[in-house]
Amino acid sequence: MGKNPVWSWYIIWYFFVGGVAAGAYVTAAFADFFGRKEDRQLAKVGFAIAFPLVLICSILLILDLGVPGRALNMFRLFNWSSPMSVGSWVLLGFGLVSLVSLILVLWDRRGAWRIRRVLAIPGALFGLFIASYTGVLLGATNRPIWAANNWIGPLFLVSALSTGVAALALFSARAKLTGFRQVHLFATGFEALLLVLFLQSLGAGATLFLTGSFAPLFWGGVVAAGLAIPFGFAFLPRGRAVEAVAAILVLAGGLALRYLVVTGGQT
Amino acid sequence: MAKAILVDTSKCIGCRGCQVACKQWHGLEAEPTAFRGSYENPPDLSARTWRKVKFIETAKQDGATRWRFLSDACKHCTDASCLAVCPTGALFHRPWGAVDLDQEICNGCRYCVSACPFGVITFNERTGRVDKCILCPDRVEAGLAPACVTTCPTGALSFGDRDQLLGRAKERVVQLRAKGEKGAELYGERELSGLHVLYVLQERPQVYGLPEKPRFAAASVFPGFLMSAVASVVMGVVALVAFRERGGRGEE
């Protein structure tokens, strides 16, 4: 068993904010490619918020290392067997692509849309990686809860997409979100399934979340706020307030999930 | 030629000479400790204690206490989890097998700390980097044995070519079993494709706090990414259908 790495709030917030950035960008890319005009309007928001969020991510990671210059050592080499190494490079790539996407949203001339769409292909691939690699990283350790667990990557991925859509919903003035809502509705169900598979894979270890000291946050945060209540809201008459409350609950649930999984492996 | 340390627990008397020699050679500070009901001290390997003797109290058949000792430090694995997950290249293999650590390159990410199956590598709060036994490469490459081995007064620790030590360890296990030590066994020959610290144990590995099947942390990287890729494809198809269903592609 490895010692406790003491990954605390900087890392928890990074996992969460990185997921929101990636989730918003990826759904924006799909909306821009396949969606209708109002979907594409909202896609612009996704392209625009990704870069500032990635910037916050890098600040969080640098703060975690303590000595700022040391962050550059992540780019001395490329190590395939280290999700952290691959993740550092992809985060750099995602940051650069999302910066250009942001510029192309601000500089919205004829033709910008075409470049933005082409750029969204590598951007979405990077985004899907950023959304999930943090979970794979935890699996490649020798800590309880995390070790050899292959469900955390998919779980974080799907949660990232649903928190990404939630962030977009907060920014949309009107609630013409049908495509996004469908993605989110499916993600909620898929996340619930992955959560069950994750807990099942933990065996007796799952009691930490189900009945142990983490249970209130698990049931209240991840299950109720993140999944059940927003799912129920989907059947309420649509309105700006309902939309916003659901989005905030989904974001809170996503943060609770990161907190529980990251802290769970360190108790 | 791969080198190794052989730890013969049956010859260890728990003098802690190795523990002190390690501190002296590497200039590691003393550790303030408190009595916690055992002669074993300090309780765990740390950034300033790279080698320590474990004092394990087991019961004989008549109920009397029997001591088991284990000079414990980094095992210098061939499939080293710490090294595999290190994003900076600070951890690296010496050609003769040691898992060395370049302090200038380590950036304190602590991934290795969580990955080591033996709980060896530790974060150093003072330097903001990690620390562990590096198998005295300065001594070994000058033709000497590591400081701990040099100081050992009983021959419980020896250093040399791994193949040769492996032969000696196997002989020793046979010898101990013949003497009635039925629990004698070798640890480190095949674990993680071979450790560069071999152990002749007198009890099951768990008794010494050694995992019976230490796991290579990076073995989960490929399946983890594969599962994530499958989930990505599922979500991608859903997003495609969700946006496309509503039709209306075309120029802005």
Side-chain angles (χ1 to χ4, degrees):
Chain A
M1 196 57 59
K3 285 196 162 80
N4 188 342
V6 198
W7 286 330
S8 190
W9 280 106
Y10 289 135
I11 299 302
I12 294 163
W13 275 103
Y14 163 62
F15 279 21
F16 171 69
V17 177
V20 174
Y25 191 100
V26 171
T27 38
F30 274 93
D32 209 18
F33 254 85
F34 305 110
R36 287 211 308 219
K37 200 165 181 179
E38 61 267 26
D39 288 334
R40 295 209 301 269
Q41 282 303 316
L42 191 55
K44 281 188 196 169
V45 179
F47 290 135
I49 64 172
F51 178 72
L53 292 176
V54 172
L55 210 56
I56 294 172
C57 287
S58 28
I59 293 167
L60 289 167
L61 290 174
I62 290 166
L63 285 173
D64 178 74
L65 291 180
V67 182
R70 287 184 187 170
L72 293 173
N73 290 11
M74 292 289 186
F75 305 106
R76 286 184 72 250
L77 47 79
F78 189 92
N79 179 0
W80 277 108
S81 64
S82 170
M84 193 183 285
S85 172
V86 184
S88 302
W89 284 103
V90 176
L91 188 65
L92 183 66
F94 185 57
L96 292 173
V97 170
S98 58
L99 173 61
V100 179
S101 298
L102 168 63
I103 292 169
L104 290 173
V105 167
L106 297 176
W107 185 78
D108 200 8
R109 305 282 157 77
R110 195 172 286 279
W113 179 56
R114 288 175 186 283
I115 311 171
R116 210 167 64 207
R117 264 170 56 127
V118 173
L119 201 63
I121 298 170
L125 290 173
F126 287 164
L128 288 167
F129 184 91
I130 293 298
S132 54
Y133 91 94
T134 50
V136 180
L137 186 157
L138 296 181
T141 63
N142 270 304
R143 291 292 304 172
I145 310 285
W146 305 339
N149 197 305
N150 297 325
W151 294 110
I152 310 176
L155 185 60
F156 280 6
L157 174 96
V158 178
S159 163
L161 291 169
S162 85
T163 52
V165 174
L168 292 183
L170 279 182
F171 281 95
S172 76
R174 283 169 303 148
K176 281 192 175 176
L177 276 169
T178 321
F180 289 93
R181 190 183 283 114
Q182 277 171 1
V183 172
H184 184 252
L185 214 56
F186 183 86
T188 305
F190 195 19
E191 191 181 332
L193 172 70
L194 288 168
L195 198 59
V196 170
L197 291 168
F198 166 66
L199 291 169
Q200 197 192 12
S201 71
L202 297 180
T207 51
L208 176 66
F209 301 114
L210 297 175
T211 54
S213 55
F214 285 6
L217 192 58
F218 175 78
W219 291 109
V222 178
V223 177
L227 299 169
I229 299 173
F231 186 80
F233 274 25
F235 301 100
L236 288 183
R238 272 129 208 199
R240 187 76 191 100
V242 173
E243 210 70 68
V245 170
I248 289 167
L249 287 176
V250 168
L251 288 167
L255 181 60
L257 176 70
R258 303 307 185 288
Y259 171 82
L260 291 174
V261 175
V262 172
T263 313
Q266 302 183 74
T267 40
Chain B
M1 183 67 96
K3 304 274 187 191
I5 290 180
L6 171 60
V7 181
D8 185 345
T9 62
S10 69
K11 291 182 183 169
C12 182
I13 54 169
C15 74
R16 280 194 285 230
C18 51
Q19 194 172 322
V20 175
C22 176
K23 284 210 179 233
Q24 287 196 321
W25 185 257
H26 296 286
L28 305 173
E29 318 157 54
E31 199 148 346
T33 53
F35 184 66
R36 56 189 184 94
S38 165
Y39 288 118
E40 182 177 322
N41 197 31
D44 206 358
L45 291 172
S46 74
R48 43 189 170 178
T49 302
W50 295 354
R51 178 172 291 276
K52 61 162 273 196
V53 179
K54 282 189 177 177
F55 286 47
I56 297 139
E57 290 168 55
T58 59
K60 290 185 193 171
Q61 282 191 336
D62 61 5
T65 298
R66 172 167 50 200
W67 290 100
R68 296 297 193 201
F69 301 118
L70 183 84
S71 180
D72 192 29
C74 173
K75 280 77 181 167
H76 300 277
C77 321
T78 300
D79 285 341
S81 297
C82 58
L83 190 157
V85 302
C86 176
T88 64
L91 286 153
F92 64 101
H93 268 130
R94 293 267 168 186
W96 42 276
V99 176
D100 202 348
L101 168 60
D102 190 330
Q103 287 289 337
E104 295 288 302
I105 294 172
C106 173
N107 68 0
C109 77
R110 317 188 292 293
Y111 197 177
C112 55
V113 173
S114 67
C116 173
F118 302 104
V120 167
I121 199 160
T122 317
F123 185 62
N124 185 332
E125 297 284 349
R126 199 169 48 78
T127 61
R129 308 181 199 259
V130 292
D131 268 310
K132 74 172 191 74
C133 156
I134 50 176
L135 211 55
C136 293
D138 48 351
R139 295 177 62 94
V140 171
E141 290 179 4
L144 299 170
C148 54
V149 176
T150 306
T151 217
C152 178
T154 65
L157 298 181
S158 38
F159 182 76
D161 288 338
R162 186 171 184 274
D163 290 343
Q164 240 173 332
L165 290 178
L166 208 50
R168 251 175 62 192
K170 285 174 179 170
E171 274 172 40
R172 182 64 179 159
V173 169
V174 172
Q175 201 179 29
L176 286 170
R177 284 190 180 155
K179 277 170 63 184
E181 291 253 24
K182 296 294 174 219
E185 64 174 288
L186 171 64
Y187 187 89
E189 184 183 11
R190 294 184 201 287
E191 284 77 8
L192 299 166
S193 302
L195 310 180
H196 292 87
V197 179
L198 303 166
Y199 297 87
V200 172
L201 304 177
Q202 294 162 285
E203 312 263 358
R204 300 295 301 150
Q206 309 76 292
V207 175
Y208 296 92
L210 294 167
E212 195 157 8
K213 288 198 175 78
R215 175 182 155 271
F216 181 49
S220 301
V221 173
F222 182 72
F225 278 132
L226 192 68
M227 300 270 278
S228 303
V230 171
S232 297
V233 170
V234 171
M235 286 310 299
V237 170
V238 168
L240 192 153
V241 170
F243 288 113
R244 188 154 226 183
E245 217 171 41
R246 307 176 53 230
R249 293 185 73 195
E251 299 293 318
E252 222 166 37

